[in-house]
Amino acid sequence: MSTHDPSGPQPEGGGKPSFDKQPPYPGGGTPEGEPPRPTPSDAPPGTPAEGPGAYQGTYGGSDHGQKPYDQPPSGYGTGPGMYGTPGPVPGMPPIGTWPRRILARLIDLILVEAVGAVVVGPFVDLGTRNGSTSAFWLGCAVYLVYEGLMLSRDGQTLGKKATKVRVAMLIDGNPPTQSAAWTRAAVFILPAVLCCAALWWLIDGMFGVFDKPFRQCIHDKAAKTVVVTTEV
């Protein structure tokens, strides 16, 4: 029977086993079983080790077709909406069609001008030039207030509700802000009051016909808005 020789070689550190060097975990992971963190040595050639462009690793510690942490998903904020029609932001409804937009505008103009005629009619002769001019100016003032208030509430006037379209902010598709709603109404109405209402509205509308890709009229450009449908 062999006996232990106390004079033989002893472990380093005075007879105590050394724990300074631990055996590697399977797969190079951590005690908790987590995958190893990527290192600069894993970066593609030419990637800086520090700074904004430094290598950030990939989702799940793997490069199997995944995208780096510092890159947003492709197509975010651009491209077609959920209904297949190009929109400023993903998921925005299709752009409103011209027949609906024109009909909505005509409904609103007729309603407002009717109010102007009812208010002015008892005091002036609408068959005269002065009477019709007074009714037009009053109608424009009422229209400015009417459209500014209605659009700032939910993006729809009565005409737009009837034709199922609405005004949305170009940047996010939300209803117009107070400033955007009043800017849109003012740019549509005030030039018409100053001179040549029919000509101004024709120019304003034709601008949207040729505008790509969101068919913005001049008043939309000024307010940074777009007209979209409310049904798909």
Side-chain angles (χ1 to χ4, degrees):
M1 179 177 65
S2 63
T3 60
H4 177 66
D5 184 2
S7 64
Q10 300 294 324
E12 295 180 1
K16 297 180 180 181
S18 173
F19 294 95
D20 293 336
K21 296 182 179 180
Q22 298 293 338
Y25 287 86
T30 63
E32 294 79 15
E34 297 178 355
R37 300 292 297 174
T39 64
S41 62
D42 300 323
T47 304
E50 297 181 355
Y55 182 65
Q56 300 293 324
T58 55
Y59 302 129
S62 171
D63 60 354
H64 298 294
Q66 302 288 352
K67 295 185 177 298
Y69 291 124
D70 60 346
Q71 293 183 10
S74 62
Y76 181 80
T78 60
M82 65 166 61
Y83 304 112
T85 297
V89 293
M92 178 174 283
I95 302 299
T97 62
W98 278 115
R100 292 190 182 193
R101 294 173 65 175
I102 293 173
L103 181 58
R105 186 68 75 177
L106 288 176
I107 292 174
D108 290 329
L109 287 173
I110 291 172
L111 289 175
V112 171
E113 284 299 321
V115 171
V118 170
V119 172
V120 174
F123 306 101
V124 299
D125 183 0
L126 296 178
T128 65
R129 181 180 180 85
N130 289 337
S132 60
T133 300
S134 298
F136 173 75
W137 285 349
L138 178 60
C140 286
V142 173
Y143 193 95
L144 175 64
V145 176
Y146 160 77
E147 179 154 306
L149 290 176
M150 294 289 284
L151 293 186
S152 61
R153 186 184 65 160
D154 60 4
Q156 287 186 296
T157 60
L158 295 178
K160 288 178 172 57
K161 289 179 185 294
T163 58
K164 302 186 185 317
V165 295
R166 71 176 179 89
V167 177
M169 295 301 297
L170 181 65
I171 191 173
D172 55 15
N174 288 329
T177 62
Q178 292 279 341
S179 60
W182 287 98
T183 296
R184 192 178 193 275
V187 172
F188 179 76
I189 286 294
L190 294 183
V193 173
L194 296 177
C195 177
C196 309
L199 179 60
W200 164 248
W201 288 333
L202 178 62
I203 294 172
D204 186 26
M206 291 302 295
F207 191 94
V209 172
F210 296 103
D211 179 70
K212 302 297 182 183
F214 304 127
R215 303 175 194 163
Q216 290 175 290
C217 297
I218 296 175
H219 54 268
D220 285 311
K221 293 287 187 182
K224 296 180 175 62
T225 57
V226 66
V227 178
V228 298
T229 185
T230 60
E231 66 175 8
V232 295

